[in-house]
Amino acid sequence: RLISLQQDDGDLSAKDVSWIESLGPSLDAGPHAFLDTAAVMMSLDLIITCDTAVAHLAGALGRPVWVALTFVPHFYWMMGRDDSPWYPTARLFRQQTLGDWGPVIDSIATAWENFGDDNADNHNFHQATRKQTSLRAAISPAPLQAGTAFTFY
């Protein structure tokens, strides 16, 4: 299943993404920011996001997180790496050309197609998921805005 952790679901309504599940407007609506998101993350196999607080929260919780980064990201992501010394469970996907998200999305989609292949527990889940969803359609360049996070479980 594909879950959106984005509050208010952002720009998702403009696309045919009815197969993406929303957790609704009550996600983190109370006084304790990110408490709900952290709880949800603990039951997920993978979080895919751009450079947002969600990326840092997932990394701090030790959850597998893939982060789509701009050509020149914030300093804490460093340059020329696909990993993070701060978050060992993070995998970084970087723009190679300023403003060009296409190759980033393609890299994430390719990695998703192979995600779990070496983990027998996840094999059946991923075989079924591949038949039902197209990651490239779900995370086309348009949704990659601040606050966007897609999560698989």
Side-chain angles (χ1 to χ4, degrees):
R1 293 167 38 192
L2 182 62
I3 308 292
S4 172
L5 293 177
Q6 184 170 346
Q7 290 185 330
D8 302 324
D9 292 325
D11 200 22
L12 290 180
S13 61
K15 303 181 82 178
D16 180 20
V17 290
S18 58
W19 46 273
I20 297 176
E21 294 181 44
S22 170
L23 297 177
S26 63
L27 180 72
D28 289 322
H32 305 291
F34 293 106
L35 188 61
D36 295 337
T37 299
V40 170
M41 285 180 174
M42 295 309 293
S43 66
L44 303 174
D45 292 323
L46 175 64
I47 294 100
I48 301 175
T49 184
C50 58
D51 181 11
T52 66
V54 168
H56 296 282
L57 180 60
L61 291 171
R63 304 305 302 151
V65 58
W66 293 354
V67 185
L69 297 173
T70 60
F71 183 68
V72 180
H74 286 119
F75 70 93
Y76 40 77
W77 297 117
M78 301 180 184
M79 299 293 287
R81 301 178 67 125
D82 64 359
D83 66 342
S84 167
W86 327 119
Y87 307 126
T89 59
R91 181 171 176 187
L92 310 178
F93 295 84
R94 299 173 178 275
Q95 280 185 347
Q96 299 302 306
T97 304
L98 183 63
D100 188 5
W101 286 109
V104 175
I105 301 308
D106 287 343
S107 294
I108 292 171
T110 299
W112 166 247
E113 290 166 1
N114 298 313
F115 180 73
D117 282 349
D118 54 357
N119 182 340
D121 293 335
N122 289 332
H123 183 72
N124 290 336
F125 161 75
H126 293 290
Q127 290 300 323
T129 302
R130 286 185 193 134
K131 293 177 186 175
Q132 296 174 14
T133 62
S134 168
L135 186 63
R136 285 180 179 89
I139 57 172
S140 68
L144 286 178
Q145 305 165 16
T148 301
F150 294 104
T151 315
F152 294 91
Y153 77 98

